[in-house]
């Protein structure tokens, strides 16, 4: 009866309005990875989509006074427009909730679709994490190998120059 309809309407998934107003919670935490935040946005968008009865809207559309021949085209265009708008909102919610340093780089890239924003955000996060890791433990380079053949004359000239510089440093009382 009416009780089950009422309970279905206010089920755990919530209403479209409640889901929409809970978007302020969509912020990436400082310890949250971009992919995890993306999943959170996806789940939220699914809740919003589940709370809107698309079939009911299509049924309402079909009851309008459109010529019968146009109804399938109108329904098809409505679904396409809904998908485009969903991607747009998904992209905007995702970008707006990203950490500031990642969000700036994603916005600079001006992604066309939500998935493009995700790819840029993951790449940016990887670069930031690599930079942080490099600051923690600097890499020490002990030798640089090149594909060029070694020139012994150049090595001897460099050694002679180094010996001369060391001799001058020793005369001034400095360590070589």
């Amino acid at each position: 009866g009416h009780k089950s309809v009422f309970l279905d309407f206010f089920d755990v998934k919530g209403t479209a309005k409640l889901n929409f107003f809970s978007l302020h919670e969509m912020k990436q935490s400082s310890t949250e990875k971009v992919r995890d935040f993306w999943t959170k946005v996806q789940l939220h968008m699914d809740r919003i989509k589940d709370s809107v009865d698309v079939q009911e809207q299509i049924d309402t559309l079909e009851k309008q006074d459109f010529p019968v021949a146009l109804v399938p085209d109108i329904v098809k265009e409505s679904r396409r427009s809904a998908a485009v708008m969903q991607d747009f909102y998904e992209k905007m919610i995702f970008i707006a909730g990203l950490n500031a340093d990642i969000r700036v780089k994603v916005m600079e890239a001006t992604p066309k679709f939500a998935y493009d924003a995700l790819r840029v955000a993951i790449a940016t996060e990887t670069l930031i994490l690599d930079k942080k890791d490099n600051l923690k433990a600097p890499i020490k380079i002990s030798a640089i190998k090149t594909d060029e053949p070694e020139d012994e004359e150049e090595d001897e000239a460099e050694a002679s120059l180094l010996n001369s510089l060391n001799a001058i440093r020793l005369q001034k009382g400095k360590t070589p």
Side-chain angles (χ1 to χ4, degrees), residues 65-129:
D65 291 332
F66 295 116
V68 176
L70 292 180
V71 170
D73 291 337
I74 293 170
V75 169
K76 183 176 158 184
E77 181 60 26
S78 297
R79 285 191 173 155
R80 190 193 69 73
S81 296
V84 168
M85 289 308 295
Q86 179 183 342
D87 186 77
F88 173 77
Y89 285 122
E90 197 170 88
K91 177 180 75 170
M92 292 294 114
I93 291 166
F94 176 68
I95 293 172
L98 287 170
N99 290 332
D101 48 353
I102 297 173
R103 181 176 56 243
V104 168
K105 294 298 182 187
V106 172
M107 290 171 61
E108 286 175 1
T110 59
K112 186 172 182 177
F113 301 107
Y115 191 74
D116 297 333
L118 172 64
R119 287 186 308 130
V120 173
I122 290 171
T124 304
E125 178 185 53
T126 302
L127 291 172
I128 290 170
L129 291 175

Side-chain angles (χ1 to χ4, degrees), residues 112-165:
K112 186 172 182 177
F113 301 107
Y115 191 74
D116 297 333
L118 172 64
R119 287 186 308 130
V120 173
I122 290 171
T124 304
E125 178 185 53
T126 302
L127 291 172
I128 290 170
L129 291 175
D130 284 349
K131 185 176 179 182
K132 285 180 183 177
D133 288 344
N134 287 339
L135 291 176
K136 290 178 187 172
I139 299 171
K140 295 181 180 175
I141 300 173
S142 59
I144 299 175
K145 293 186 178 183
T146 62
D147 293 337
E148 298 174 10
E150 293 183 24
D151 189 357
E152 289 183 26
E153 289 179 11
E154 282 185 27
D155 289 344
E156 289 175 11
E158 286 178 16
S160 174
L161 179 61
L162 185 59
N163 287 335
S164 300
L165 288 173

Side-chain angles (χ1 to χ4, degrees), residues 8 17 22 24 31 41-42 47 54 64 77 91 103 129 149:
D8 285 342
K17 188 180 279 189
S22 65
H24 73 279
T31 58
V41 170
Q42 293 292 304
R47 273 189 297 196
V54 175
Q64 301 298 319
E77 181 60 26
K91 177 180 75 170
R103 181 176 56 243
L129 291 175

